[in-house]
Amino acid sequence: MADLQDVGAFVAVARNGGFREAARKTGNSPSQLSEAVRRLEAGLGVRLLHRTTRSVAATDAGQRLLEQLTPALDAVTTAMDVVNGFRDRPAGRLRLNVPTSASKLVLPRILPPFHKAYPDITLEVIVDDSFVDLLRTGCDAGIRYGERMEQDMVAMPIGPREQRFALAAAPAYLQEHGTPKKPEDLLHHICLRGRFNSGTMPPWEFEHKGKKVVIEPSGPLIVNLGAAADLKVDVAVGGAGLVYLFEDWLQPYFDRGELVPVLERWWPAFQGPMLYYPGRRYLPAPLRAFVDFIQTMRW
C-alpha cells in the first residue's frame, strides 16, 4: 500500500506541472516532493512523471493514476470538510480563478468584509483571462461571464447584475480629431485595440434603439486584454486614441475629467459576472461560507 503522503505529493506535482509550484502550494520543499514521487514510483514499479530541466508532465501511467485518484481524493477532502462545519467559524483555503476585470471591479468590494466575517479562511485568487477547467487547475470556484462559463456548473450572480462597455477619449484627442457622431465614424479615428490570449481580437459592438453596429477599428496599439488593459487606458488618457472598455473601469477617469464619454447612447449593456462552482452535495466549508456571503451582498 502506497503511503498517502507520497500519493498526495504526486497529485500536487502533476496538477501544478512542476515541483516548485507544487511546493509553493503545499508548503513542502521541491526536494521533499521529488523524493516522495520517487518512492511512489519505486513502489509501483512504474514511471509516473516525465522530468526535464524545464518541465514536468505525467506519463500515460501517471495520467491514468491521476484520473483514478481525483474522485477519491475529492471524496476524502469533502469528508474531512464536513467536520469543519462543526467549528464555530469555517476555516481553510478557498481558491478562486477570476478574470482581470473581476479582480479589479468585483472582488475589491467583497474581500474586506468577507475577511472580516471569516478571518480563518485564506482566499487564494488566481487571475487568468483564459478559459480554464476549474477541477484540473485545483480551484474551488471561478468568476466568468455567461458565454465563457463551463457547462454543468452551479452559477450565481456576483457583482453588478448589468454592466456596459464604454467608449472614451481624452479631451485633447477630441479637440484635435473631433468627436465621433456615430459608430461608423470610428473607422476614421485612432482606436486602441485589445486581443485575448487565444489570439482573438474582439470587435467593438454598439447598440441603440434596437439597432446594432459592429465595428472593426484600427489603430497603432494592440494590448493583451486583461493584463495590459490599464496600459490602453493610460495611452488614451495621454490623448493618443479612443479606448473601449468596461464602464466601471473607466468611471474614475470620467470623474477626474481625464477621459470623456463618447457615443454614450450607443454603449451596449450585458449581463454581469457569475460565480460558478461544481455541483456537489457537500460544498467545502470555505466555499459554502463564500457563497452564503455573496448572497447577502447588495450591488
Side-chain angles (χ1 to χ4, degrees):
M1 177 67 69
D3 188 296
L4 287 180
Q5 289 186 334
D6 293 348
V7 172
F10 160 71
V11 172
V13 174
R15 281 180 170 175
N16 290 282
F19 291 95
R20 289 186 179 277
E21 183 65 14
R24 188 180 70 83
K25 297 287 179 59
T26 63
N28 296 302
S29 68
S31 61
Q32 287 175 320
L33 294 176
S34 180
E35 183 59 33
V37 172
R38 287 195 188 96
R39 283 196 302 267
L40 183 61
E41 290 177 325
L44 295 174
V46 177
R47 179 175 290 276
L48 301 174
L49 296 174
H50 291 301
R51 304 168 178 82
T52 70
T53 56
R54 293 187 176 182
S55 65
V56 174
T59 63
D60 289 343
Q63 186 60 41
R64 180 63 62 87
L65 178 60
L66 182 63
E67 291 171 357
Q68 295 295 316
L69 284 172
T70 297
L73 292 175
D74 288 344
V76 170
T77 300
T78 299
M80 297 297 290
D81 200 69
V82 169
V83 179
N84 192 15
F86 288 90
R87 294 168 52 95
D88 292 336
R89 294 187 304 194
R93 184 179 298 271
L94 173 62
R95 299 188 77 222
L96 295 180
N97 187 290
V98 308
T100 302
S101 57
S103 71
K104 185 178 182 71
L105 305 177
V106 177
L107 291 182
R109 179 174 170 182
I110 294 172
L111 297 193
F114 177 75
H115 286 310
K116 184 175 181 180
Y118 299 100
D120 296 329
I121 293 177
T122 299
L123 187 60
E124 182 177 352
V125 178
I126 296 90
V127 179
D128 187 348
D129 289 287
S130 60
F131 186 76
V132 299
D133 184 327
L134 278 183
L135 298 181
R136 289 184 65 85
T137 58
C139 291
D140 301 291
I143 298 176
R144 285 296 184 273
Y145 289 86
E147 68 276 9
R148 303 193 70 204
M149 198 175 301
E150 296 178 49
Q151 301 299 314
D152 302 322
M153 292 280 175
V154 177
M156 59 178 288
I158 180 171
R161 300 300 184 262
E162 184 178 272
Q163 292 181 282
R164 291 196 301 175
F165 278 117
L167 183 68
Y173 174 88
L174 298 177
Q175 183 176 359
E176 180 178 356
H177 299 276
T179 301
K181 303 300 182 183
K182 57 185 183 297
E184 292 82 357
D185 292 344
L186 297 176
L187 296 174
H188 308 291
H189 277 266
I190 303 172
C191 300
L192 310 174
R193 302 291 304 276
R195 190 195 309 272
F196 288 119
N197 291 336
S198 63
T200 302
M201 191 180 302
W204 290 7
E205 300 180 357
F206 301 91
E207 183 175 0
H208 178 60
K209 293 184 177 179
K211 180 182 179 182
K212 296 183 179 181
V213 179
V214 179
I215 300 295
E216 294 278 1
S218 61
L221 177 67
I222 300 173
V223 305
N224 182 36
L225 283 173
D230 277 326
L231 172 60
K232 184 169 59 170
V233 177
D234 290 340
V235 171
V237 169
L242 289 140
V243 61
Y244 180 81
L245 201 59
F246 290 89
E247 178 184 5
D248 295 339
W249 199 312
L250 298 178
Q251 190 60 51
Y253 299 89
F254 294 150
D255 295 340
R256 294 192 296 266
E258 295 173 323
L259 291 175
V260 176
V262 177
L263 297 178
E264 186 169 1
R265 64 177 183 168
W266 284 93
W267 292 357
F270 55 94
Q271 184 184 42
M274 306 288 285
L275 175 73
Y276 71 105
Y277 51 91
R280 297 172 180 166
R281 184 178 179 185
Y282 296 108
L283 291 181
L287 178 55
R288 168 52 61 193
F290 190 73
V291 168
D292 291 344
F293 185 82
I294 294 304
Q295 291 176 330
T296 67
M297 293 200 66
R298 296 181 178 274
W299 290 83

